[in-house]
Amino acid sequence: QLKNNIKNLSNIKIIFSLIVLIIISLVIYFRQFNPFEDTTNSSSIYTEPETILYQVDSNYPPFSFANEGDLIGFDFALTNIIFPSYQYRLDYSTDTWDKVYQRVVNREIDLAGVIGVTDARKEDVLFTHTLFNSYVSLFTLHDFGSISVDDLKNLKVGVGKGYYTESILRNELKIDYIAYPDINDAIADLQNEKIDVIFENSYLIRNILIKQNLSGIIIDNVSNLYPREHAYAVSKDRPDLVEFMDKRIDELQANGTFETIYQSYFFEHSNVYYEERDRERWAIGLISAFGILIIIII
């Protein structure tokens, strides 16, 4: 009787193992070859990556600049991370900023890179989620003396043509200025005292000054002016692109990838990093205060 029981138990184990094996096989089969799945849009079917027409200013370091024919910079590095190569192919090119902006407005390209967000530009293009804030500085020769924004109306002011800083001079400060298609020409004119001051994005000019060994000769006389949100400019024909990019930007900011790329080009933390740190400190402080209150009550 005992032998029969053991034999029956062994048979049950074998049958049970076979059933489990069959179930596992069926699960694998249906995951890979689901006969009820609509495969017309299935990701299992290979499709050619979608081409994104991406154009930026070729001389806007550290955001984007050409080096021996290759495009490098914060803008290009982040964009390549945002768009997986199996889904998208970046067809990139460069030009002067005024031409790049006109092309994205005319919907001739899909993406114009990271730019300052203004109300006027919101009428022309779509914007992704904000990436960070940047600021304007007043750059002068080191021995020029102290100045303020109010002094600009009496000075010869240079600015990048088509940059958001030009719109500040034109629409907010309403003063005369010289707009340079190539900002390097403005730096040369400042050195030669053809202009008195450059009114420009702090990151841009500081980066150029470092590269040209001019940091001690030209200084940012006044800093942290006109904080401005920066985001990707996208053609109004591509709201789908904005939706995809927003999700990716949120992911990259949450997992620290964005901050790593930002630091590698700007050599400091972004305002997003500090805002998140302040929120964490506030939350910890609130929890601590609540804990102390509970202890006192008890």
Side-chain angles (χ1 to χ4, degrees), residues 161-225:
K161 182 176 177 59
Y163 296 171
Y164 76 94
T165 42
E166 182 184 7
S167 68
I168 295 174
L169 292 176
R170 181 179 60 247
N171 302 326
E172 296 185 35
L173 298 180
K174 301 183 187 305
I175 64 172
D176 294 330
Y177 58 84
I178 301 172
Y180 291 85
D182 187 339
I183 199 64
N184 287 291
D185 293 336
I187 291 175
D189 280 356
L190 182 61
Q191 283 184 273
N192 297 323
E193 300 185 13
K194 292 182 180 179
I195 59 175
D196 302 308
V197 58
I198 296 176
F199 182 91
E200 243 332 316
N201 181 285
S202 303
Y203 291 138
L204 168 64
I205 303 301
R206 287 173 187 166
N207 190 278
I208 294 175
L209 294 180
I210 291 171
K211 290 180 180 298
Q212 297 185 11
N213 294 318
L214 294 173
S215 296
I217 299 171
I218 296 174
I219 62 170
D220 48 346
N221 203 312
V222 183
S223 304
N224 299 324
L225 302 171

Side-chain angles (χ1 to χ4, degrees), residues 119-295:
D119 290 337
R121 286 175 172 177
K122 287 179 181 178
E123 298 294 323
D124 295 335
V125 299
L126 301 176
F127 282 103
T128 63
H129 288 175
T130 300
L131 297 172
F132 56 85
N133 292 340
S134 71
Y135 301 86
V136 173
S137 289
L138 307 183
F139 291 90
T140 67
L141 293 176
H142 71 283
D143 57 354
F144 187 80
S146 61
I147 60 171
S148 69
V149 173
D150 291 336
D151 296 322
L152 294 179
K153 60 181 178 292
N154 301 316
L155 299 173
K156 294 179 181 178
V157 181
V159 70
K161 182 176 177 59
Y163 296 171
Y164 76 94
T165 42
E166 182 184 7
S167 68
I168 295 174
L169 292 176
R170 181 179 60 247
N171 302 326
E172 296 185 35
L173 298 180
K174 301 183 187 305
I175 64 172
D176 294 330
Y177 58 84
I178 301 172
Y180 291 85
D182 187 339
I183 199 64
N184 287 291
D185 293 336
I187 291 175
D189 280 356
L190 182 61
Q191 283 184 273
N192 297 323
E193 300 185 13
K194 292 182 180 179
I195 59 175
D196 302 308
V197 58
I198 296 176
F199 182 91
E200 243 332 316
N201 181 285
S202 303
Y203 291 138
L204 168 64
I205 303 301
R206 287 173 187 166
N207 190 278
I208 294 175
L209 294 180
I210 291 171
K211 290 180 180 298
Q212 297 185 11
N213 294 318
L214 294 173
S215 296
I217 299 171
I218 296 174
I219 62 170
D220 48 346
N221 203 312
V222 183
S223 304
N224 299 324
L225 302 171
Y226 302 97
R228 185 73 56 174
E229 294 181 347
H230 276 62
Y232 280 99
V234 183
S235 164
K236 282 199 168 184
D237 279 346
R238 299 303 308 269
D240 59 308
L241 213 55
V242 174
E243 183 180 0
F244 175 82
M245 293 179 72
D246 282 345
K247 290 179 181 177
R248 289 288 292 149
I249 290 168
D250 289 346
E251 291 171 1
L252 296 173
Q253 288 182 333
N255 65 25
T257 302
F258 169 85
E259 195 62 28
T260 298
I261 297 172
Y262 185 93
Q263 280 188 282
S264 66
Y265 286 96
F266 296 104
F267 308 108
E268 62 185 30
H269 284 297
S270 69
N271 63 289
V272 175
Y273 169 86
Y274 289 111
E275 288 168 3
E276 183 61 30
R277 187 190 63 179
D278 291 343
R279 279 193 293 269
E280 289 177 357
R281 288 178 175 176
W282 182 87
I284 292 171
L286 184 63
I287 292 170
S288 299
F290 182 74
I292 293 171
L293 181 62
I294 293 297
I295 292 172

